[in-house]
């Protein structure tokens, strides 16, 4: 006589699972970027990438619906999708209206950002880069612009936001896009604080370089020599040196107007390099302290030690 199968699932678990609710994803944001060639679509896409949007350029309209389906599936980390769709898609562009209607009928909300400029400005921009308009064929640039305006007329009427870039600089355009898409909110600056050793060369991508070789070197203390600035003993020693904390405080204060200016000028990334002789003790400890203070000021900060392990 066979024995009964053992109970492998405790009683009550199915009831608990049935009563629990899977956390719901917030509604995804979908933005369609379109408009006249030469009006700034590439720049607008770059601004959105800096704001952590998932951006796809020159996507055939028929692919919009499958892409949105992917981002709405469980496990997807994409919550903000921007798709650049324009006449570069040639015959496929005519399917844009159908794709948008499908999204709307499926309950997916979206916005359309339409970029435009005067014919005169568009001609000047194409001539400055010495490239033909994608629709001019054997004709003139103006012929291509006219054809494109006719093709985009119905989409322009459906646009939620229309930005005329005729008199805008690249910085002005970036601000207009942020105002239209993010309500004017400005993302924090992304800062990488990099510790390095001067003996291995200056970091090529450094925006600012601080030299902390004026501090006493823990290398000459036997108990600290084989540790690094990531160890509490070395960090405490370095920060206790005369002038160390005063330097950090004044250096961070001096950086604040510079970092604010970077944001105003659309520079979203900055590398602050902190160097000592070997990049093992002083620079690592000071870089960590600078990073902590910048982070406390609201910046997005990462810390790296380029030359650890080279000795």
């Amino acid at each position: 006589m066979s024995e009964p199968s053992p109970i492998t699932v405790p009683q009550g678990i199915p009831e608990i699972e049935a009563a629990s609710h899977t956390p719901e994803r917030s509604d995804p944001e979908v933005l369609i970027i379109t408009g006249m060639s030469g009006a700034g679509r590439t720049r607008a896409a770059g601004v959105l990438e800096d704001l952590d949007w998932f951006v796809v350029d020159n996507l055939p309209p028929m692919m919009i619906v499958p892409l949105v389906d992917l981002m709405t599936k469980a496990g997807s980390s994409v919550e903000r999708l921007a798709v650049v769709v324009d006449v570069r898609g040639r015959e496929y562009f005519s399917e844009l209206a159908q794709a948008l209607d499908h999204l709307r009928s499926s309950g997916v909300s979206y916005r359309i950002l339409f970029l435009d400029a005067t014919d005169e400005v568009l001609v000047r921009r194409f001539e400055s880069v010495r490239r033909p308009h994608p629709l001019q064929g054997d004709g003139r640039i103006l012929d291509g612009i006219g054809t494109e305006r006719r093709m985009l007329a119905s989409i322009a009427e459906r646009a939620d936001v229309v930005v005329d870039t005729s008199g805008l600089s690249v910085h002005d355009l970036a601000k207009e896009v942020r105002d239209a898409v993010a309500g004017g909110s400005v993302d924090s600056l992304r800062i990488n604080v990099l510790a390095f050793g001067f003996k291995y060369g200056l970091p090529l991508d450094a925006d600012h370089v601080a030299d902390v070789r004026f501090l006493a070197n823990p290398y000459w203390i036997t108990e600290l020599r084989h540790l690094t600035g990531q160890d509490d003993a070395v960090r405490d020693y370095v920060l206790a040196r005369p002038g160390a904390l005063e330097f950090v405080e004044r250096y961070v204060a001096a950086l604040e107007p510079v970092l604010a200016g970077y944001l105003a000028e659309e520079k979203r990334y900055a590398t602050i390099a902190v160097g000592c002789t070997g990049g093992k003790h002083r620079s690592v400890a000071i870089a960590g302290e600078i990073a902590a203070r910048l982070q406390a000021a609201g910046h997005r900060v990462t810390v790296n030690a380029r030359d650890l392990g080279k000795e």
Side-chain angles (χ1 to χ4, degrees):
M1 186 175 181
S2 61
E3 296 182 0
S5 301
I7 298 176
T8 58
V9 180
Q11 291 183 343
I13 289 182
E15 288 80 3
I16 294 174
E17 291 181 341
S20 62
H21 298 282
T22 302
E24 296 183 359
R25 282 172 51 89
S26 58
D27 292 335
E29 294 184 67
V30 179
L31 180 70
I32 308 298
I33 303 173
T34 189
M36 296 296 294
S37 300
R41 297 183 309 246
T42 300
R43 177 59 176 162
V47 171
L48 292 172
E49 285 185 341
D50 290 343
L51 294 174
D52 285 336
W53 284 65
F54 184 83
V55 180
V56 182
D57 189 18
N58 197 17
L59 187 74
M62 67 180 67
M63 300 301 298
I64 294 177
V65 173
L67 186 58
V68 172
D69 289 341
L70 281 176
M71 70 177 289
T72 55
K73 286 185 177 180
S76 172
S77 61
V78 178
E79 296 183 354
R80 298 187 295 179
L81 171 67
V83 179
V84 181
V85 184
D86 51 67
V87 297
R88 288 175 296 172
R90 303 288 176 170
E91 63 269 19
Y92 299 120
F93 181 75
S94 61
E95 301 174 0
L96 177 58
Q98 180 181 351
L100 295 179
D101 291 339
H102 188 283
L103 289 179
R104 191 74 75 190
S105 64
S106 301
V108 177
S109 60
Y110 61 84
R111 289 179 291 168
I112 300 176
L113 172 63
F114 190 95
L115 301 177
D116 201 355
T118 65
D119 288 0
E120 179 183 359
V121 169
L122 293 176
V123 169
R124 187 165 63 248
R125 289 176 181 173
F126 274 104
E127 288 182 340
S128 68
V129 296
R130 299 181 179 180
R131 296 194 63 191
H133 188 282
L135 297 182
Q136 79 177 73
D138 295 329
R140 300 179 302 158
I141 293 176
L142 276 173
D143 296 330
I145 292 174
T147 301
E148 186 175 29
R149 286 203 184 279
R150 290 189 292 273
M151 292 180 62
L152 292 175
S154 61
I155 298 299
E157 293 177 355
R158 300 176 61 164
D160 298 280
V161 180
V162 177
V163 177
D164 187 340
T165 69
S166 300
L168 300 181
S169 68
V170 291
H171 300 318
D172 294 334
L173 173 57
K175 184 179 182 303
E176 289 284 343
V177 172
R178 284 200 310 273
D179 288 343
V181 174
S185 63
V186 178
D187 196 25
S188 57
L189 185 68
R190 302 179 188 182
I191 303 172
N192 180 29
V193 182
L194 178 67
F196 74 96
F198 278 98
K199 64 190 291 184
Y200 300 111
L202 289 170
L204 295 177
D205 59 345
D207 295 290
H208 291 264
V209 177
D211 184 353
V212 296
R213 289 176 293 184
F214 68 91
L215 298 172
N217 193 347
Y219 178 85
W220 302 112
I221 299 177
T222 304
E223 294 82 4
L224 302 179
R225 178 173 300 176
H226 300 294
L227 301 177
T228 74
Q230 295 176 340
D231 295 301
D232 290 341
V234 173
R235 178 183 178 279
D236 293 344
Y237 175 86
V238 171
L239 295 181
R241 296 308 90 205
L245 288 178
E246 180 183 4
F247 167 78
V248 171
E249 292 172 1
R250 293 191 179 189
Y251 187 67
V252 171
L255 282 175
E256 283 300 336
V258 176
L259 301 179
Y262 283 166
L263 281 174
E265 290 299 314
E266 298 302 319
K267 180 177 173 63
R268 296 287 162 177
Y269 308 91
T271 297
I272 310 299
V274 182
C276 63
T277 303
K280 180 178 180 180
H281 298 105
R282 293 166 291 180
S283 63
V284 177
I286 294 297
E289 186 67 17
I290 290 174
R293 301 199 181 205
L294 289 173
Q295 191 170 30
H299 299 293
R300 298 172 61 179
V301 184
T302 57
V303 189
N304 292 284
R306 187 192 70 178
D307 298 325
L308 278 184
K310 290 185 177 180
E311 290 187 353

